[in-house]
Amino acid sequence: MDDIKVFIVDDSAVVRQVLTSVIDSIQGLKVIASASDPIFAQKKMATEWPDVIVLDIEMPRMDGITFLKKLMKEHPTPVVICSTLTAKGADVTMQAMSAGAVDIITKPTVNLKNFLQDSKIIMANAIKGAARAKMQSLKLSTTIDPVIKVAASQESVQGVKSMYDSTDKVIAIGTSTGGTVALETVLTRLPKTAPGIVVVQHMPEAFTAAFAARLNSICEVTVKEAVSNDRVMPGLVLIAPGGKHMLLRRSGAQYRVEVKDGPLVSRHRPS
């Protein structure tokens, strides 16, 4: 089986050097080239196109989001965002995920070299998962699936009150690589009377709050980052915080969530 071809776009020479060393040490992955900004990247990729691009956000001449949108329009390719973990960065990175990036690797502002070397497993999972993404499926449809039309029509048949009287129905969704785009596709089509939903999206700390806020701004249902004792209710989507596990517990006739620390489950937290 051929190695997955990786292209790195980052304005930091240190990051490019360390990422190349780490990725090349992972079986099945090979860095074919790197560039300090998207303009240089486009010229290099014209001769050999990669299977996965590892992309920074803030770069000279052309920022990562502009490049990502151009890429998804002209030559859809799996992209893993490698971005600094800041409040500003979280919001910008969510824009990138919405534009089609399939995963996030966070890089700190200090001890960068040690972090990247220690995150070999995270890097391997993200890039290998991205390589399996079917980019054509990430294009959002302008039509609503028949099942969603049926769910929406139930409001007129059953009435809103009857749906709020029962908390027995809960939808649980678990997503990983490419999940942010898939969740947006699903949740934006749900009516505000949809059953309560709990979501675990494999995503680092500080990104889930921005992700939930963005979904909340474009969905009919209410979307928020979960906190312990939140009640699962119709029209509400609870997203597990990055770095925490989320449990669903029954309390009488109600369901509530518990957010807690704990060891990784199948190499992931949240799970």
Side-chain angles (χ1 to χ4, degrees):
M1 190 175 188
D2 294 337
D3 288 342
I4 295 169
K5 297 182 292 185
V6 182
F7 196 105
I8 300 167
V9 187
D10 197 298
D11 62 338
S12 167
V14 172
V15 171
R16 295 197 303 273
Q17 179 183 9
V18 176
L19 276 177
T20 298
S21 175
V22 171
I23 293 171
D24 280 343
S25 70
I26 300 170
Q27 185 175 5
L29 303 184
K30 178 179 177 58
V31 176
I32 58 172
S34 64
S36 58
D37 68 39
I39 294 177
F40 285 134
Q42 290 176 96
K43 294 178 180 178
K44 289 187 176 182
M45 289 191 299
T47 59
E48 184 177 14
W49 202 266
D51 299 311
V52 178
I53 298 171
V54 177
L55 179 66
D56 190 17
I57 296 293
E58 297 181 352
M59 291 176 288
R61 299 205 294 175
M62 181 186 292
D63 65 270
I65 292 180
T66 300
F67 176 54
L68 180 62
K69 290 179 178 178
K70 177 179 172 65
L71 190 69
M72 292 304 161
K73 182 178 179 181
E74 299 176 357
H75 198 312
T77 305
V79 171
V80 173
I81 297 297
C82 191
S83 176
T84 302
L85 185 60
T86 63
K88 178 184 177 182
D91 180 61
V92 173
T93 302
M94 284 306 101
Q95 295 179 41
M97 298 294 281
S98 177
V102 296
D103 211 342
I104 304 171
I105 297 173
T106 60
K107 59 182 181 183
T109 55
V110 295
N111 297 323
L112 179 60
K113 186 173 182 179
N114 289 337
F115 170 81
L116 291 174
Q117 289 174 336
D118 292 342
S119 61
K120 184 175 178 178
I121 294 178
I122 297 174
M123 197 79 63
N125 290 340
I127 295 174
K128 290 180 179 180
R132 294 191 295 269
K134 298 178 181 179
M135 299 310 295
Q136 65 271 21
S137 67
L138 299 182
K139 296 178 181 179
L140 300 183
S141 171
T142 56
T143 61
I144 298 180
D145 295 335
V147 66
I148 302 302
K149 290 182 179 179
V150 171
S153 69
Q154 288 178 351
E155 179 177 349
S156 60
V157 176
Q158 298 178 348
V160 176
K161 185 177 185 300
S162 64
M163 299 189 74
Y164 275 85
D165 285 342
S166 173
T167 57
D168 289 340
K169 296 182 177 66
V170 178
I171 298 171
I173 302 175
T175 54
S176 189
T177 303
T180 53
V181 177
L183 280 172
E184 180 176 329
T185 303
V186 172
L187 297 182
T188 52
R189 284 160 168 72
L190 294 180
K192 58 186 177 182
T193 52
I197 300 174
V198 289
V199 174
V200 167
Q201 163 69 49
H202 294 152
M203 187 176 283
E205 285 184 75
F207 284 97
T208 44
F211 179 50
R214 186 187 178 283
L215 287 175
N216 187 60
S217 70
I218 59 176
C219 293
E220 284 193 35
V221 290
T222 299
V223 185
K224 69 183 289 287
E225 186 181 57
V227 297
S228 286
N229 208 39
D230 272 346
R231 180 183 169 187
V232 181
M233 300 176 62
L236 177 63
V237 179
L238 298 173
I239 297 182
K244 303 281 187 180
H245 292 309
M246 185 166 69
L247 303 178
L248 179 65
R249 297 190 182 280
R250 182 149 193 150
S251 176
Q254 303 175 355
Y255 284 106
R256 294 183 182 271
V257 297
E258 178 185 348
V259 175
K260 59 183 292 184
D261 291 317
L264 300 179
V265 176
S266 298
R267 305 185 303 276
H268 293 291
R269 187 175 56 240
S271 192

mmCIF file with all atom_site columns, all heavy atoms in Angstrom, residues 96-119:
data_model
loop_
_atom_site.group_PDB
_atom_site.id
_atom_site.type_symbol
_atom_site.label_atom_id
_atom_site.label_alt_id
_atom_site.label_comp_id
_atom_site.label_asym_id
_atom_site.label_entity_id
_atom_site.label_seq_id
_atom_site.pdbx_PDB_ins_code
_atom_site.Cartn_x
_atom_site.Cartn_y
_atom_site.Cartn_z
_atom_site.occupancy
_atom_site.B_iso_or_equiv
_atom_site.pdbx_formal_charge
_atom_site.auth_seq_id
_atom_site.auth_comp_id
_atom_site.auth_asym_id
_atom_site.auth_atom_id
_atom_site.pdbx_PDB_model_num
ATOM 1   N N   . ALA A 1 96  ? -12.707 27.659 9.551  1.00 0.00 ? 96  ALA A N   1
ATOM 2   C CA  . ALA A 1 96  ? -11.987 26.747 8.666  1.00 0.00 ? 96  ALA A CA  1
ATOM 3   C C   . ALA A 1 96  ? -12.676 25.390 8.605  1.00 0.00 ? 96  ALA A C   1
ATOM 4   O O   . ALA A 1 96  ? -12.804 24.792 7.534  1.00 0.00 ? 96  ALA A O   1
ATOM 5   C CB  . ALA A 1 96  ? -10.543 26.589 9.141  1.00 0.00 ? 96  ALA A CB  1
ATOM 6   N N   . MET A 1 97  ? -13.140 24.894 9.754  1.00 0.00 ? 97  MET A N   1
ATOM 7   C CA  . MET A 1 97  ? -13.837 23.613 9.776  1.00 0.00 ? 97  MET A CA  1
ATOM 8   C C   . MET A 1 97  ? -15.121 23.697 8.956  1.00 0.00 ? 97  MET A C   1
ATOM 9   O O   . MET A 1 97  ? -15.479 22.783 8.224  1.00 0.00 ? 97  MET A O   1
ATOM 10  C CB  . MET A 1 97  ? -14.151 23.204 11.210 1.00 0.00 ? 97  MET A CB  1
ATOM 11  C CG  . MET A 1 97  ? -12.932 22.990 12.099 1.00 0.00 ? 97  MET A CG  1
ATOM 12  S SD  . MET A 1 97  ? -11.918 21.586 11.604 1.00 0.00 ? 97  MET A SD  1
ATOM 13  C CE  . MET A 1 97  ? -12.869 20.237 12.302 1.00 0.00 ? 97  MET A CE  1
ATOM 14  N N   . SER A 1 98  ? -15.808 24.835 9.071  1.00 0.00 ? 98  SER A N   1
ATOM 15  C CA  . SER A 1 98  ? -17.036 25.028 8.303  1.00 0.00 ? 98  SER A CA  1
ATOM 16  C C   . SER A 1 98  ? -16.740 25.080 6.810  1.00 0.00 ? 98  SER A C   1
ATOM 17  O O   . SER A 1 98  ? -17.566 24.680 5.984  1.00 0.00 ? 98  SER A O   1
ATOM 18  C CB  . SER A 1 98  ? -17.730 26.323 8.736  1.00 0.00 ? 98  SER A CB  1
ATOM 19  O OG  . SER A 1 98  ? -18.878 26.568 7.974  1.00 0.00 ? 98  SER A OG  1
ATOM 20  N N   . ALA A 1 99  ? -15.549 25.566 6.459  1.00 0.00 ? 99  ALA A N   1
ATOM 21  C CA  . ALA A 1 99  ? -15.168 25.681 5.046  1.00 0.00 ? 99  ALA A CA  1
ATOM 22  C C   . ALA A 1 99  ? -14.719 24.348 4.459  1.00 0.00 ? 99  ALA A C   1
ATOM 23  O O   . ALA A 1 99  ? -14.496 24.254 3.258  1.00 0.00 ? 99  ALA A O   1
ATOM 24  C CB  . ALA A 1 99  ? -14.054 26.715 4.886  1.00 0.00 ? 99  ALA A CB  1
ATOM 25  N N   . GLY A 1 100 ? -14.583 23.318 5.324  1.00 0.00 ? 100 GLY A N   1
ATOM 26  C CA  . GLY A 1 100 ? -14.269 22.000 4.783  1.00 0.00 ? 100 GLY A CA  1
ATOM 27  C C   . GLY A 1 100 ? -13.094 21.277 5.395  1.00 0.00 ? 100 GLY A C   1
ATOM 28  O O   . GLY A 1 100 ? -12.824 20.128 5.036  1.00 0.00 ? 100 GLY A O   1
ATOM 29  N N   . ALA A 1 101 ? -12.363 21.888 6.341  1.00 0.00 ? 101 ALA A N   1
ATOM 30  C CA  . ALA A 1 101 ? -11.274 21.176 7.011  1.00 0.00 ? 101 ALA A CA  1
ATOM 31  C C   . ALA A 1 101 ? -11.850 20.007 7.806  1.00 0.00 ? 101 ALA A C   1
ATOM 32  O O   . ALA A 1 101 ? -12.940 20.105 8.364  1.00 0.00 ? 101 ALA A O   1
ATOM 33  C CB  . ALA A 1 101 ? -10.522 22.128 7.946  1.00 0.00 ? 101 ALA A CB  1
ATOM 34  N N   . VAL A 1 102 ? -11.132 18.895 7.853  1.00 0.00 ? 102 VAL A N   1
ATOM 35  C CA  . VAL A 1 102 ? -11.696 17.687 8.454  1.00 0.00 ? 102 VAL A CA  1
ATOM 36  C C   . VAL A 1 102 ? -11.227 17.412 9.876  1.00 0.00 ? 102 VAL A C   1
ATOM 37  O O   . VAL A 1 102 ? -11.815 16.587 10.567 1.00 0.00 ? 102 VAL A O   1
ATOM 38  C CB  . VAL A 1 102 ? -11.429 16.446 7.579  1.00 0.00 ? 102 VAL A CB  1
ATOM 39  C CG1 . VAL A 1 102 ? -12.132 16.569 6.243  1.00 0.00 ? 102 VAL A CG1 1
ATOM 40  C CG2 . VAL A 1 102 ? -9.941  16.207 7.385  1.00 0.00 ? 102 VAL A CG2 1
ATOM 41  N N   . ASP A 1 103 ? -10.188 18.082 10.342 1.00 0.00 ? 103 ASP A N   1
ATOM 42  C CA  . ASP A 1 103 ? -9.719  17.838 11.712 1.00 0.00 ? 103 ASP A CA  1
ATOM 43  C C   . ASP A 1 103 ? -8.856  18.990 12.197 1.00 0.00 ? 103 ASP A C   1
ATOM 44  O O   . ASP A 1 103 ? -8.466  19.855 11.415 1.00 0.00 ? 103 ASP A O   1
ATOM 45  C CB  . ASP A 1 103 ? -8.930  16.530 11.789 1.00 0.00 ? 103 ASP A CB  1
ATOM 46  C CG  . ASP A 1 103 ? -9.075  15.841 13.144 1.00 0.00 ? 103 ASP A CG  1
ATOM 47  O OD1 . ASP A 1 103 ? -9.485  16.516 14.116 1.00 0.00 ? 103 ASP A OD1 1
ATOM 48  O OD2 . ASP A 1 103 ? -8.783  14.640 13.232 1.00 0.00 ? 103 ASP A OD2 1
ATOM 49  N N   . ILE A 1 104 ? -8.582  18.985 13.512 1.00 0.00 ? 104 ILE A N   1
ATOM 50  C CA  . ILE A 1 104 ? -7.792  20.037 14.140 1.00 0.00 ? 104 ILE A CA  1
ATOM 51  C C   . ILE A 1 104 ? -6.662  19.415 14.953 1.00 0.00 ? 104 ILE A C   1
ATOM 52  O O   . ILE A 1 104 ? -6.874  18.453 15.674 1.00 0.00 ? 104 ILE A O   1
ATOM 53  C CB  . ILE A 1 104 ? -8.634  20.880 15.124 1.00 0.00 ? 104 ILE A CB  1
ATOM 54  C CG1 . ILE A 1 104 ? -9.857  21.469 14.442 1.00 0.00 ? 104 ILE A CG1 1
ATOM 55  C CG2 . ILE A 1 104 ? -7.787  21.988 15.762 1.00 0.00 ? 104 ILE A CG2 1
ATOM 56  C CD1 . ILE A 1 104 ? -10.819 22.106 15.429 1.00 0.00 ? 104 ILE A CD1 1
ATOM 57  N N   . ILE A 1 105 ? -5.471  19.974 14.802 1.00 0.00 ? 105 ILE A N   1
ATOM 58  C CA  . ILE A 1 105 ? -4.370  19.684 15.721 1.00 0.00 ? 105 ILE A CA  1
ATOM 59  C C   . ILE A 1 105 ? -3.976  21.023 16.331 1.00 0.00 ? 105 ILE A C   1
ATOM 60  O O   . ILE A 1 105 ? -3.691  21.975 15.611 1.00 0.00 ? 105 ILE A O   1
ATOM 61  C CB  . ILE A 1 105 ? -3.158  19.064 15.004 1.00 0.00 ? 105 ILE A CB  1
ATOM 62  C CG1 . ILE A 1 105 ? -3.532  17.712 14.386 1.00 0.00 ? 105 ILE A CG1 1
ATOM 63  C CG2 . ILE A 1 105 ? -1.983  18.899 15.970 1.00 0.00 ? 105 ILE A CG2 1
ATOM 64  C CD1 . ILE A 1 105 ? -2.444  17.123 13.523 1.00 0.00 ? 105 ILE A CD1 1
ATOM 65  N N   . THR A 1 106 ? -4.002  21.104 17.646 1.00 0.00 ? 106 THR A N   1
ATOM 66  C CA  . THR A 1 106 ? -3.667  22.375 18.291 1.00 0.00 ? 106 THR A CA  1
ATOM 67  C C   . THR A 1 106 ? -2.177  22.429 18.586 1.00 0.00 ? 106 THR A C   1
ATOM 68  O O   . THR A 1 106 ? -1.563  21.439 18.970 1.00 0.00 ? 106 THR A O   1
ATOM 69  C CB  . THR A 1 106 ? -4.444  22.543 19.604 1.00 0.00 ? 106 THR A CB  1
ATOM 70  O OG1 . THR A 1 106 ? -4.117  21.470 20.486 1.00 0.00 ? 106 THR A OG1 1
ATOM 71  C CG2 . THR A 1 106 ? -5.935  22.541 19.355 1.00 0.00 ? 106 THR A CG2 1
ATOM 72  N N   . LYS A 1 107 ? -1.614  23.609 18.401 1.00 0.00 ? 107 LYS A N   1
ATOM 73  C CA  . LYS A 1 107 ? -0.208  23.795 18.747 1.00 0.00 ? 107 LYS A CA  1
ATOM 74  C C   . LYS A 1 107 ? -0.114  24.946 19.739 1.00 0.00 ? 107 LYS A C   1
ATOM 75  O O   . LYS A 1 107 ? -0.724  25.999 19.543 1.00 0.00 ? 107 LYS A O   1
ATOM 76  C CB  . LYS A 1 107 ? 0.642   24.054 17.505 1.00 0.00 ? 107 LYS A CB  1
ATOM 77  C CG  . LYS A 1 107 ? 0.256   25.274 16.671 1.00 0.00 ? 107 LYS A CG  1
ATOM 78  C CD  . LYS A 1 107 ? 1.141   25.391 15.438 1.00 0.00 ? 107 LYS A CD  1
ATOM 79  C CE  . LYS A 1 107 ? 0.790   26.618 14.618 1.00 0.00 ? 107 LYS A CE  1
ATOM 80  N NZ  . LYS A 1 107 ? 1.561   26.732 13.379 1.00 0.00 ? 107 LYS A NZ  1
ATOM 81  N N   . PRO A 1 108 ? 0.633   24.766 20.831 1.00 0.00 ? 108 PRO A N   1
ATOM 82  C CA  . PRO A 1 108 ? 0.759   25.812 21.849 1.00 0.00 ? 108 PRO A CA  1
ATOM 83  C C   . PRO A 1 108 ? 1.700   26.917 21.393 1.00 0.00 ? 108 PRO A C   1
ATOM 84  O O   . PRO A 1 108 ? 2.397   26.789 20.381 1.00 0.00 ? 108 PRO A O   1
ATOM 85  C CB  . PRO A 1 108 ? 1.332   25.055 23.051 1.00 0.00 ? 108 PRO A CB  1
ATOM 86  C CG  . PRO A 1 108 ? 2.153   23.978 22.414 1.00 0.00 ? 108 PRO A CG  1
ATOM 87  C CD  . PRO A 1 108 ? 1.405   23.569 21.165 1.00 0.00 ? 108 PRO A CD  1
ATOM 88  N N   . THR A 1 109 ? 1.717   27.998 22.155 1.00 0.00 ? 109 THR A N   1
ATOM 89  C CA  . THR A 1 109 ? 2.597   29.114 21.816 1.00 0.00 ? 109 THR A CA  1
ATOM 90  C C   . THR A 1 109 ? 3.991   28.940 22.412 1.00 0.00 ? 109 THR A C   1
ATOM 91  O O   . THR A 1 109 ? 4.922   29.628 22.022 1.00 0.00 ? 109 THR A O   1
ATOM 92  C CB  . THR A 1 109 ? 1.997   30.438 22.327 1.00 0.00 ? 109 THR A CB  1
ATOM 93  O OG1 . THR A 1 109 ? 1.732   30.322 23.732 1.00 0.00 ? 109 THR A OG1 1
ATOM 94  C CG2 . THR A 1 109 ? 0.696   30.752 21.594 1.00 0.00 ? 109 THR A CG2 1
ATOM 95  N N   . VAL A 1 110 ? 4.132   28.017 23.370 1.00 0.00 ? 110 VAL A N   1
ATOM 96  C CA  . VAL A 1 110 ? 5.447   27.744 23.979 1.00 0.00 ? 110 VAL A CA  1
ATOM 97  C C   . VAL A 1 110 ? 5.716   26.239 23.926 1.00 0.00 ? 110 VAL A C   1
ATOM 98  O O   . VAL A 1 110 ? 4.792   25.437 23.807 1.00 0.00 ? 110 VAL A O   1
ATOM 99  C CB  . VAL A 1 110 ? 5.519   28.239 25.438 1.00 0.00 ? 110 VAL A CB  1
ATOM 100 C CG1 . VAL A 1 110 ? 5.409   29.752 25.499 1.00 0.00 ? 110 VAL A CG1 1
ATOM 101 C CG2 . VAL A 1 110 ? 4.429   27.597 26.291 1.00 0.00 ? 110 VAL A CG2 1
ATOM 102 N N   . ASN A 1 111 ? 6.997   25.870 24.041 1.00 0.00 ? 111 ASN A N   1
ATOM 103 C CA  . ASN A 1 111 ? 7.412   24.467 24.007 1.00 0.00 ? 111 ASN A CA  1
ATOM 104 C C   . ASN A 1 111 ? 6.856   23.738 22.781 1.00 0.00 ? 111 ASN A C   1
ATOM 105 O O   . ASN A 1 111 ? 6.443   22.578 22.851 1.00 0.00 ? 111 ASN A O   1
ATOM 106 C CB  . ASN A 1 111 ? 6.977   23.732 25.281 1.00 0.00 ? 111 ASN A CB  1
ATOM 107 C CG  . ASN A 1 111 ? 7.626   24.312 26.521 1.00 0.00 ? 111 ASN A CG  1
ATOM 108 O OD1 . ASN A 1 111 ? 8.789   24.718 26.486 1.00 0.00 ? 111 ASN A OD1 1
ATOM 109 N ND2 . ASN A 1 111 ? 6.885   24.358 27.614 1.00 0.00 ? 111 ASN A ND2 1
ATOM 110 N N   . LEU A 1 112 ? 6.836   24.445 21.661 1.00 0.00 ? 112 LEU A N   1
ATOM 111 C CA  . LEU A 1 112 ? 6.215   23.917 20.448 1.00 0.00 ? 112 LEU A CA  1
ATOM 112 C C   . LEU A 1 112 ? 6.894   22.643 19.963 1.00 0.00 ? 112 LEU A C   1
ATOM 113 O O   . LEU A 1 112 ? 6.233   21.666 19.621 1.00 0.00 ? 112 LEU A O   1
ATOM 114 C CB  . LEU A 1 112 ? 6.248   24.986 19.346 1.00 0.00 ? 112 LEU A CB  1
ATOM 115 C CG  . LEU A 1 112 ? 5.660   24.600 17.993 1.00 0.00 ? 112 LEU A CG  1
ATOM 116 C CD1 . LEU A 1 112 ? 4.203   24.234 18.143 1.00 0.00 ? 112 LEU A CD1 1
ATOM 117 C CD2 . LEU A 1 112 ? 5.830   25.734 17.003 1.00 0.00 ? 112 LEU A CD2 1
ATOM 118 N N   . LYS A 1 113 ? 8.219   22.649 19.961 1.00 0.00 ? 113 LYS A N   1
ATOM 119 C CA  . LYS A 1 113 ? 8.946   21.496 19.427 1.00 0.00 ? 113 LYS A CA  1
ATOM 120 C C   . LYS A 1 113 ? 8.641   20.234 20.224 1.00 0.00 ? 113 LYS A C   1
ATOM 121 O O   . LYS A 1 113 ? 8.347   19.178 19.654 1.00 0.00 ? 113 LYS A O   1
ATOM 122 C CB  . LYS A 1 113 ? 10.452  21.780 19.428 1.00 0.00 ? 113 LYS A CB  1
ATOM 123 C CG  . LYS A 1 113 ? 11.272  20.691 18.748 1.00 0.00 ? 113 LYS A CG  1
ATOM 124 C CD  . LYS A 1 113 ? 12.726  21.113 18.627 1.00 0.00 ? 113 LYS A CD  1
ATOM 125 C CE  . LYS A 1 113 ? 13.541  20.043 17.902 1.00 0.00 ? 113 LYS A CE  1
ATOM 126 N NZ  . LYS A 1 113 ? 14.960  20.446 17.742 1.00 0.00 ? 113 LYS A NZ  1
ATOM 127 N N   . ASN A 1 114 ? 8.669   20.333 21.555 1.00 0.00 ? 114 ASN A N   1
ATOM 128 C CA  . ASN A 1 114 ? 8.385   19.171 22.398 1.00 0.00 ? 114 ASN A CA  1
ATOM 129 C C   . ASN A 1 114 ? 6.951   18.699 22.214 1.00 0.00 ? 114 ASN A C   1
ATOM 130 O O   . ASN A 1 114 ? 6.673   17.501 22.179 1.00 0.00 ? 114 ASN A O   1
ATOM 131 C CB  . ASN A 1 114 ? 8.635   19.496 23.873 1.00 0.00 ? 114 ASN A CB  1
ATOM 132 C CG  . ASN A 1 114 ? 10.113  19.652 24.181 1.00 0.00 ? 114 ASN A CG  1
ATOM 133 O OD1 . ASN A 1 114 ? 10.963  19.134 23.451 1.00 0.00 ? 114 ASN A OD1 1
ATOM 134 N ND2 . ASN A 1 114 ? 10.420  20.367 25.254 1.00 0.00 ? 114 ASN A ND2 1
ATOM 135 N N   . PHE A 1 115 ? 6.023   19.652 22.086 1.00 0.00 ? 115 PHE A N   1
ATOM 136 C CA  . PHE A 1 115 ? 4.618   19.291 21.921 1.00 0.00 ? 115 PHE A CA  1
ATOM 137 C C   . PHE A 1 115 ? 4.404   18.488 20.646 1.00 0.00 ? 115 PHE A C   1
ATOM 138 O O   . PHE A 1 115 ? 3.751   17.448 20.646 1.00 0.00 ? 115 PHE A O   1
ATOM 139 C CB  . PHE A 1 115 ? 3.742   20.544 21.883 1.00 0.00 ? 115 PHE A CB  1
ATOM 140 C CG  . PHE A 1 115 ? 2.310   20.263 21.468 1.00 0.00 ? 115 PHE A CG  1
ATOM 141 C CD1 . PHE A 1 115 ? 1.389   19.792 22.377 1.00 0.00 ? 115 PHE A CD1 1
ATOM 142 C CD2 . PHE A 1 115 ? 1.907   20.469 20.155 1.00 0.00 ? 115 PHE A CD2 1
ATOM 143 C CE1 . PHE A 1 115 ? 0.084   19.514 21.996 1.00 0.00 ? 115 PHE A CE1 1
ATOM 144 C CE2 . PHE A 1 115 ? 0.602   20.198 19.763 1.00 0.00 ? 115 PHE A CE2 1
ATOM 145 C CZ  . PHE A 1 115 ? -0.310  19.729 20.692 1.00 0.00 ? 115 PHE A CZ  1
ATOM 146 N N   . LEU A 1 116 ? 4.951   18.977 19.537 1.00 0.00 ? 116 LEU A N   1
ATOM 147 C CA  . LEU A 1 116 ? 4.745   18.304 18.264 1.00 0.00 ? 116 LEU A CA  1
ATOM 148 C C   . LEU A 1 116 ? 5.374   16.916 18.257 1.00 0.00 ? 116 LEU A C   1
ATOM 149 O O   . LEU A 1 116 ? 4.824   15.969 17.694 1.00 0.00 ? 116 LEU A O   1
ATOM 150 C CB  . LEU A 1 116 ? 5.311   19.150 17.125 1.00 0.00 ? 116 LEU A CB  1
ATOM 151 C CG  . LEU A 1 116 ? 4.541   20.446 16.832 1.00 0.00 ? 116 LEU A CG  1
ATOM 152 C CD1 . LEU A 1 116 ? 5.272   21.273 15.787 1.00 0.00 ? 116 LEU A CD1 1
ATOM 153 C CD2 . LEU A 1 116 ? 3.119   20.150 16.374 1.00 0.00 ? 116 LEU A CD2 1
ATOM 154 N N   . GLN A 1 117 ? 6.519   16.782 18.921 1.00 0.00 ? 117 GLN A N   1
ATOM 155 C CA  . GLN A 1 117 ? 7.153   15.474 18.983 1.00 0.00 ? 117 GLN A CA  1
ATOM 156 C C   . GLN A 1 117 ? 6.350   14.516 19.862 1.00 0.00 ? 117 GLN A C   1
ATOM 157 O O   . GLN A 1 117 ? 6.277   13.320 19.588 1.00 0.00 ? 117 GLN A O   1
ATOM 158 C CB  . GLN A 1 117 ? 8.579   15.619 19.518 1.00 0.00 ? 117 GLN A CB  1
ATOM 159 C CG  . GLN A 1 117 ? 9.521   16.292 18.524 1.00 0.00 ? 117 GLN A CG  1
ATOM 160 C CD  . GLN A 1 117 ? 10.887  16.570 19.101 1.00 0.00 ? 117 GLN A CD  1
ATOM 161 O OE1 . GLN A 1 117 ? 11.056  16.695 20.325 1.00 0.00 ? 117 GLN A OE1 1
ATOM 162 N NE2 . GLN A 1 117 ? 11.891  16.660 18.238 1.00 0.00 ? 117 GLN A NE2 1
ATOM 163 N N   . ASP A 1 118 ? 5.723   15.046 20.925 1.00 0.00 ? 118 ASP A N   1
ATOM 164 C CA  . ASP A 1 118 ? 4.942   14.208 21.840 1.00 0.00 ? 118 ASP A CA  1
ATOM 165 C C   . ASP A 1 118 ? 3.566   13.855 21.290 1.00 0.00 ? 118 ASP A C   1
ATOM 166 O O   . ASP A 1 118 ? 2.889   12.979 21.828 1.00 0.00 ? 118 ASP A O   1
ATOM 167 C CB  . ASP A 1 118 ? 4.765   14.916 23.193 1.00 0.00 ? 118 ASP A CB  1
ATOM 168 C CG  . ASP A 1 118 ? 6.080   15.037 23.955 1.00 0.00 ? 118 ASP A CG  1
ATOM 169 O OD1 . ASP A 1 118 ? 7.023   14.286 23.610 1.00 0.00 ? 118 ASP A OD1 1
ATOM 170 O OD2 . ASP A 1 118 ? 6.150   15.873 24.871 1.00 0.00 ? 118 ASP A OD2 1
ATOM 171 N N   . SER A 1 119 ? 3.132   14.538 20.243 1.00 0.00 ? 119 SER A N   1
ATOM 172 C CA  . SER A 1 119 ? 1.773   14.332 19.738 1.00 0.00 ? 119 SER A CA  1
ATOM 173 C C   . SER A 1 119 ? 1.756   13.438 18.503 1.00 0.00 ? 119 SER A C   1
ATOM 174 O O   . SER A 1 119 ? 0.897   13.564 17.636 1.00 0.00 ? 119 SER A O   1
ATOM 175 C CB  . SER A 1 119 ? 1.133   15.689 19.398 1.00 0.00 ? 119 SER A CB  1
ATOM 176 O OG  . SER A 1 119 ? 1.877   16.344 18.388 1.00 0.00 ? 119 SER A OG  1
#
